[in-house]
Amino acid sequence: MSNADAVRDSIYRSCMYKDDMKWQEWLDLCDEDFQYSITAYSPEIRNDMIYLSGDREEMRGMMKMLPKHNTDHSPLKRHCSVYAVDLEDDGSMATAVSSVVVYQTQLDGINSHVDAGESKVFLVGRYFDKFRISDGVAKFVEREVKLDTRKLDKGSHYPI
Amino acid sequence: MARSRNHEQWTSPPPFTQEEYVDSRIYSDQDIFEEELEKIFKKSWIPVCHESELPEPYDFRTTTIAKEPIILTRAKDGKVRAFLNVCPHRGNMLERAPSGSFLDGSPSGNPRHITCMFHAWQFDMKGRCVYISRQEEGYQDRLKKSQMGLRELKCEVYFGGFVWVTLNDQIDMTVEEWSAGSLEVLKPSLDEEPLEVFHYHKAIIPCNYKLWHDTNCEFYHDYLHYHNRITGFNDAYFARKNTGFDNGHINVGSFEVQYDNYEGSHSREEISFPHLPPNHWYMIDMFPGVNFNLRGSSLRCDIMTPLGPNEVMIEFRGLGLKNDDAVTRRSRIDHHNSIWGPFGRNLHEDLLAVTGQGSAMNPRAENRQILHGRHENETIHDENGMRHFYEEWGRWMDRMPSNPDKPFVERTTATSATG
Ligand code: FES
Ligand SMILES: [Fe+2]
């Protein structure tokens, strides 16, 4: 597998793990100094915003606490297309830009008798990722989820 | 076999006074909703944004109150003014963007003017009509620009830079008078130095706006939030006072939040607001649907725009101090988002709960009584805040919240015998 393929593989695997709520497996794709953030630009306040952020341990902690929280258990599924992978000359680092659409399939968010099973677009945005590559494995060192969607209604406890 | 509660038992009044419960029809009835827009939302002062959202001359911001589109401008004199965002020619909405600047010209008009794109009438930042295309050819001397200004609304910048607007020309109160003392507890913290909005997002939720306001007014629902139970629930927490003010406003006193008790969370003691002791938390809920919430290092403001009996738009803002350095600002943002962001611990839980109320209170449903009957010495889990709100609501609507078909009757000591 080429280094660019290794990057794509990590991106798609991260989607799969998060879709399946395998948070530990997702974080295992990330390097120790991993930084996660969800950001958006607001045309209302004309400013860049951060909606969520954390390093690997903080994300791990947040996921660990989930069972203590009331939450909308409607699953999120990510549809992702990797648009561009750029490798550094020595092949040790890479950046990638992907498009992402997240669908939510209602389970218990509203009135399950009526809504359960209905899928809707939850949000759209892009992934801006940075990787460290060694021995053909691309590990995330940074993921910025840049959202277009800013009307997030009930929101979510799940990372995107 | 006896049922736990049959129809008659379910629909008969609870063992409370009339002020201690409300009829769920006030959350679902279309006529009551329309009446609320007319009698309440078109009559009161509503904060619509923060002045930092239109910082420079020629900046604008658009919004709505009670379905009326509104545009705010900042003129060269630095003053923020509010107008109906409606062209006096044939009623087109003047500006469609949420915010921006009129410094540059638009495709139909000149720089520094509000231009209606339809037939190119132009207005200045003070709302004066300054250009009517082919005026003399079409109107001869029958119509003057001076007659075609924008409809200007009363507008004030007050309380840490929030911009307040009212559709009510007859209102006889300033915002300060309207607030009736409810804002005093946070004024020193918010007025010491300029603030800036760092967070904005909105939610459209299938519930009545009052259900969201109720959630902001009562802390009994901290049972919903693991975060608040573990960082709160101690003697100081249970001693927090709930205080009512004129015009239906309330506020909730502070205590020191033990942020460290939540795994992965950190004390906010290094970053606060002027005059706010570290890790403290004050809450103000203003009639009819505004919330200011200062928690440690960040200020949250919710503004509610009712869209239907079972639909509300809530705009969430987070604010810090304008002169924050980058590191301080980043901490404020992280603190704010970890609880109140769209992916935060608490906001999602609150929104889930009111969604649940909304989906269980359909019009013509078998009547529900919504209980507001807790009395705990006007402390944090007392429901006096909601009772105070509904008393005011009843007055403005001339309807009893516990039976909206009946005209409002002022509370007497006799009716609150069990109170
Ligand atoms: S409607 Fe605005 S110029 Fe005609
Ligand atoms: Fe809450």
Side-chain angles (χ1 to χ4, degrees), chain A residues 43-44 46 49-51 53 62 64-65 68-72 109 150-157, chain B residues 59 61 99-100 199-204 224 226 262-263 330 334 337 342-345 348-349 352 355:
Chain A
E44 289 82 13
R46 286 185 278 163
M49 304 179 292
I50 302 166
Y51 278 171
S53 65
M62 270 185 235
K64 194 183 117 190
M65 299 304 272
K68 293 189 181 293
H69 285 274
N70 290 295
T71 209
D72 182 342
R150 292 161 286 105
K151 186 177 91 63
L152 290 152
D153 295 342
K154 290 197 301 297
S156 176
H157 279 152
Chain B
D59 281 351
R61 185 83 174 85
S99 84
H199 177 95
Y200 177 90
H201 86 278
K202 62 184 164 191
I204 295 185
L224 168 74
Y226 171 73
Y262 184 91
E263 207 180 313
R330 183 57 202 265
D334 289 346
N337 290 341
F343 301 90
R345 305 287 95 176
H348 178 57
E349 294 176 328
L352 265 179
T355 301

Side-chain angles (χ1 to χ4, degrees), chain B residues 87 89-92 116 118-121:
Chain B
C87 179
H89 175 222
R90 279 177 51 204
N92 186 28
C116 177
F118 213 171
H119 313 94
W121 287 27

Side-chain angles (χ1 to χ4, degrees), chain B residues 59-350:
Chain B
D59 281 351
F60 70 86
R61 185 83 174 85
T62 57
T63 185
T64 58
I65 298 176
K67 300 183 191 170
E68 284 284 24
I70 291 166
I71 183 164
L72 303 149
T73 63
R74 193 185 284 273
K76 229 164 71 179
D77 62 6
K79 207 176 150 196
V80 176
R81 292 177 175 82
F83 309 96
L84 283 191
N85 188 10
V86 174
C87 179
H89 175 222
R90 279 177 51 204
N92 186 28
M93 190 177 289
L94 286 166
E95 178 54 55
R96 292 164 299 147
S99 84
S101 168
F102 290 117
L103 259 186
D104 296 328
S106 70
S108 309
N110 293 318
R112 296 184 171 81
H113 288 161
I114 306 170
T115 301
C116 177
M117 69 173 180
F118 213 171
H119 313 94
W121 287 27
Q122 296 184 33
F123 309 87
D124 69 11
M125 297 301 113
K126 295 181 175 174
R128 295 175 297 207
C129 179
V130 291
Y131 177 73
I132 292 178
S133 38
R134 291 181 64 78
Q135 180 178 2
E136 277 163 33
E137 290 87 338
Y139 298 113
Q140 299 81 39
D141 53 7
R142 294 172 298 127
L143 186 82
K144 298 189 172 45
K145 288 195 271 292
S146 60
Q147 298 169 302
M148 288 294 112
L150 303 183
R151 161 76 164 102
E152 187 166 356
L153 305 169
K154 289 193 173 188
C155 176
E156 266 191 53
V157 176
Y158 184 75
F159 190 58
F162 284 92
V163 181
W164 304 69
V165 174
T166 179
L167 294 169
N168 181 4
D169 271 6
Q170 271 69 51
I171 201 159
D172 58 358
M173 281 180 266
T174 61
V175 176
E176 182 171 6
E177 288 161 353
W178 164 250
S179 72
S182 60
L183 300 174
E184 294 307 307
V185 67
L186 285 185
K187 272 201 103 220
S189 297
L190 270 56
D191 283 343
E192 176 89 10
E193 50 178 296
L195 309 182
E196 191 169 63
V197 179
F198 60 69
H199 177 95
Y200 177 90
H201 86 278
K202 62 184 164 191
I204 295 185
I205 301 293
C207 82
N208 187 275
Y209 79 93
K210 296 188 290 302
L211 292 168
W212 186 249
H213 195 68
D214 292 351
T215 298
N216 279 335
C217 288
E218 59 96 353
F219 279 65
Y220 187 35
H221 83 269
D222 274 339
Y223 284 99
L224 168 74
H225 302 306
Y226 171 73
H227 180 281
N228 289 7
R229 294 200 309 271
I230 198 80
T231 62
F233 281 25
N234 56 28
D235 290 347
Y237 168 92
F238 286 107
R240 295 172 77 185
K241 277 280 182 188
N242 246 323
T243 311
F245 296 83
D246 282 354
N247 303 325
H249 315 312
I250 68 159
N251 68 33
V252 179
S254 183
F255 81 121
E256 193 177 342
V257 182
Q258 309 296 316
Y259 286 103
D260 295 328
N261 288 353
Y262 184 91
E263 207 180 313
S265 164
H266 309 291
S267 165
R268 277 86 160 124
E269 73 190 340
E270 273 160 30
I271 308 168
S272 182
F273 262 63
H275 310 291
L276 182 78
N279 289 324
H280 270 251
W281 179 14
Y282 285 98
M283 182 92 130
I284 300 169
D285 296 287
M286 288 185 74
F287 188 86
V290 182
N291 170 259
F292 298 101
N293 196 336
L294 183 60
R295 200 190 222 279
S297 54
S298 57
L299 174 71
R300 165 178 149 193
C301 173
D302 299 4
I303 299 170
M304 273 165 266
T305 302
L307 301 175
N310 199 40
E311 192 172 45
V312 60
M313 177 170 78
I314 314 163
E315 292 173 280
F316 300 101
R317 285 173 171 79
L319 296 96
L321 303 180
K322 191 172 180 180
N323 69 0
D324 283 339
D325 60 52
V327 176
T328 305
R329 176 60 64 86
R330 183 57 202 265
S331 296
R332 288 194 202 277
I333 291 172
D334 289 346
H335 293 163
H336 173 276
N337 290 341
S338 64
I339 312 173
W340 292 332
F343 301 90
R345 305 287 95 176
N346 286 12
L347 189 72
H348 178 57
E349 294 176 328
D350 290 316

Side-chain angles (χ1 to χ4, degrees), chain A:
Chain A
M1 191 158 48
S2 73
N3 281 354
D5 284 341
V7 164
R8 284 186 205 102
D9 187 67
S10 290
I11 293 172
Y12 288 129
R13 265 175 214 285
S14 79
C15 289
M16 216 164 62
Y17 290 142
K18 281 190 277 191
D19 283 359
D20 295 338
M21 297 196 222
K22 293 181 173 164
W23 311 117
Q24 188 55 50
E25 282 87 340
W26 162 49
L27 290 167
D28 287 346
L29 296 171
C30 304
D31 230 332
E32 270 172 29
D33 53 350
F34 173 67
Q35 289 289 336
Y36 177 83
S37 63
I38 302 177
T39 64
Y41 174 77
S42 165
E44 289 82 13
I45 63 171
R46 286 185 278 163
N47 251 319
D48 288 314
M49 304 179 292
I50 302 166
Y51 278 171
L52 182 74
S53 65
D55 59 25
R56 194 173 70 169
E57 282 324 297
E58 286 167 333
M59 295 313 292
R60 203 190 299 279
M62 270 185 235
M63 298 305 100
K64 194 183 117 190
M65 299 304 272
L66 276 180
K68 293 189 181 293
H69 285 274
N70 290 295
T71 209
D72 182 342
H73 297 93
S74 306
L76 302 179
K77 289 276 187 295
R78 295 141 188 86
H79 186 90
C80 173
S81 299
V82 179
Y83 282 173
V85 177
D86 292 301
L87 296 165
E88 269 185 20
D89 287 344
D90 66 359
S92 66
M93 299 291 287
T95 58
V97 181
S98 315
S99 164
V100 61
V101 179
V102 179
Y103 300 92
Q104 185 175 47
T105 302
Q106 293 300 329
L107 173 62
D108 57 1
I110 309 175
N111 176 356
S112 61
H113 182 221
V114 177
D115 307 290
E118 183 186 353
S119 300
K120 281 186 180 162
V121 172
F122 181 63
L123 60 80
V124 300
R126 279 186 173 175
Y127 288 143
F128 291 85
D129 297 327
K130 267 195 194 121
F131 295 89
R132 188 174 290 125
I133 305 167
S134 70
D135 302 328
V137 177
K139 289 223 162 189
F140 284 90
V141 288
E142 203 178 303
R143 158 151 290 179
E144 180 183 355
V145 190
K146 228 178 199 168
L147 301 184
D148 290 315
T149 309
R150 292 161 286 105
K151 186 177 91 63
L152 290 152
D153 295 342
K154 290 197 301 297
S156 176
H157 279 152
Y158 303 141
I160 299 306

